[in-house]
Amino acid sequence: MTAAANGRLRPVIAIDGPAGAGKSTLAAHLARRFGLLNLETGAMYRALALKALETSTALGDEAALARLTASTQILLEPRPNDTNRVLLDGNDVTARIREKDVSEAASQVSVHPRVRAWMVERQRAMGAQGGVVMEGRDIGTKVFPDAELKIFLDAQDEVRGQRRYLQSAGSNDAPTPEAVLAAVRDRDARDRNRAASPLEPALDAVHLDTTGLTLEQVCALAEGLVETRMAD
Ligand code: DC
């Protein structure tokens, strides 16, 4: 992971995988451990989806969504050991974008190639200098195909559903475990089957199945991967 042909002085670590695989937690951990910035690209799709909901823009209307992006500013502010603070046109939407209606809408806006192109351009600019752990669905395949390390994080869907359920339990609109699993499967199917940058591992990604692993074990395995690449 030394200064490379791509002109970056510091590495880009790409973490991709389906909902509930543990990407955000792992990204936050690696960022803290190696002094990198943690950028959650899903939050950008969520923020645009929120704006679409607030402006009654149809989620299936690609041209209208593309017009919406022209007047949209989304900022991700990494916070140590935490999720990103997310600003949509200057307003803090960090908590709001995690709600169920926005999760569903984000999955729908993310199928559109013009929306994706707008996101990818910004994500590349955010990571151009390196020194980032970027997580999402297409970081290793599309945003940074030359990332110094690509991790594809996965787990059985029942396990991912359970994790998402535990995250949402206690909130105002807490759904049942069955409903959470159904929503996770639904979003996965849309993410994997869309034509534009579907969720799939990059050919050179390291696969990490977290099904039977504790958080500590996942973090230790990933740390080992980073250290090995740094020594290359
Ligand atoms: O990771 P997340 O659950 O916050 O992502 C929200 C939605 O955005 C999800 O349905 C997939 C989509 N997404 C995407 O298509 N590409 C990314 N790089 C990140 C997220």
Side-chain angles (χ1 to χ4, degrees), residues 16-17 19 23-24 41-43 45-46 98 103 106-108 110-111 116 123 135-139 143 164 187 191 194 197:
D16 291 301
K23 300 185 298 295
S24 301
T41 61
Y45 289 90
R46 287 171 180 271
R98 299 288 154 195
S103 300
S107 166
Q108 294 186 45
S110 70
V111 303
R116 301 200 69 83
Q123 291 155 7
E135 58 114 331
R137 304 293 189 286
D138 59 345
I139 310 306
V143 183
R164 277 284 149 112
R187 284 214 285 141
D191 290 344
R194 67 178 173 230
S197 306

Side-chain angles (χ1 to χ4, degrees), residues 4 25 27 44-45 54-55 61 70 80 94 109 112 130 137-138 150 161-162 173 181-182 198 201 206 212 217 228 232:
T25 312
M44 298 173 69
Y45 289 90
E54 284 177 343
T55 55
D61 188 339
T94 310
V109 302
H112 300 298
R137 304 293 189 286
D138 59 345
K150 302 176 187 177
Q162 176 69 8
D173 59 349
L181 177 57
V206 181
Q217 288 170 323
T228 309
D232 282 353

